[in-house]
Amino acid sequence: MKTEHITPYEKEAKWTAFLNGEPDTEAPLPEDVDGFSDFEQTWELTGIAYSHEMADTDAAWQKINQKITAPHTRIIQYIHPVLRYAAVLLVVAGLAFAARYYFTVTPENIVPASQLIAVSTIAQPDNISTVTLPDGSIVQLNANTKLEYPEKFDQKIRVVKLSGEAFFKVAHNSQCPFVIETEGAAVEVLGTSFNVSAYPGNHTVEVNVATGKVRLTERIGESTEQAKAILPAGTSGRIDLVTGTITTNNHLSVNYLSWITKVIEFQRTPLAEAFSQLENIYHIDISYADETIAALPYTANFANNEIDYIMDVIARTHNLSVTKTGSSYLFARK
């Protein structure tokens, strides 16, 4: 084995930081493409939790060196480089095995429901609930959302259960992945911020990654051939719970955080889609008397406006009438 093919420590550390989604890290240079590709495959094999610090090659070599007796000094001098590189391979292989064992959600990892703390929210659009988890992670919950988590996290993996929509700011811990279980899907991270929408009955689970990187996995049925996708910062992914397929986009979904910010953007959006988003943001019901209304395109921007104002603007834009009954709105042709 030639030493010129071994990745320098500094370069490997930079690549690890980049793959872990850490801020202020640069992508590999063009001349490093081949080496980075091999490194990335190893990183993927060991799960998102691989870090250079975990692979202590000096410590591995010292353990091997201590087992070699003094009378074999000449042999040591000859095979020293070989053993050193073999130690590296053994450590990496061990990491892959450990990652597969520790970072897989198995029945042994999952805390019994009786030991979970449950937090549920109701339809209060002006009162978003915020929960601080045992590890310091912060979760903002949309209305009609349920979050379950243990009083104390396991040392190997942090698992919570979500039904509804929440924005997570996960405390970084490279030794203990954070997993959100939803109906038919799992989202795995180390430390990052992202939004998960997984309302019962929607038949989809959507993830938008603001910072860092997450792994999105479908968990439908008992099949071992699970669909998976790695989502870096600034991208989104969606699982179809009927087919089990995952679609990804190299951009964030428009209005994915509007339920928190109340900043809304519509660009030739069909009214049916706009109404659906407004229902999720303001927790109201919107219907229309004429099915042709659903396809009307709508373009507008709103920022912290009352829902009555938005309904009135939409109605006047398309010369429609809107009738309010409690928290329900009905659009009709004039």
Side-chain angles (χ1 to χ4, degrees), residues 1-4 6 80-90:
M1 181 179 293
K2 297 181 179 180
T3 56
E4 58 265 31
I6 301 299
H80 181 286
V82 176
L83 288 177
R84 187 176 182 84
Y85 301 140
V88 174
L89 293 177
L90 286 172

Side-chain angles (χ1 to χ4, degrees), residues 38 95 112 191 199 211 252:
D38 293 338
L95 284 174
Y199 280 104
T211 62
L252 297 170

Side-chain angles (χ1 to χ4, degrees), residues 224-240:
T224 57
E225 297 298 324
Q226 297 174 320
K228 299 180 181 180
I230 300 295
L231 305 176
T235 66
S236 59
R238 175 179 294 189
I239 294 179
D240 186 320

Side-chain angles (χ1 to χ4, degrees), residues 13-27:
K14 291 181 180 178
W15 289 355
T16 299
F18 174 75
L19 288 171
N20 273 336
E22 297 178 12
D24 303 322
T25 56
E26 299 179 354

Side-chain angles (χ1 to χ4, degrees), residues 288-294 330-333:
Y288 32 85
D290 188 332
E291 288 296 328
T292 61
I293 294 176
L330 173 64
F331 284 82
R333 296 280 188 182

Side-chain angles (χ1 to χ4, degrees), residues 239-251:
I239 294 179
D240 186 320
L241 298 183
V242 176
T243 64
T245 57
I246 297 179
T247 57
T248 60
N249 295 292
N250 59 0
H251 57 79

Side-chain angles (χ1 to χ4, degrees), residues 30 48 51 91 145 147 152 188 194 227 240 265 278 291 312:
I48 315 178
S51 65
V91 170
T145 294
L147 178 70
K152 183 179 180 180
E188 179 184 352
F194 55 96
D240 186 320
E265 177 184 345
L278 290 171
E291 288 296 328
D312 183 60

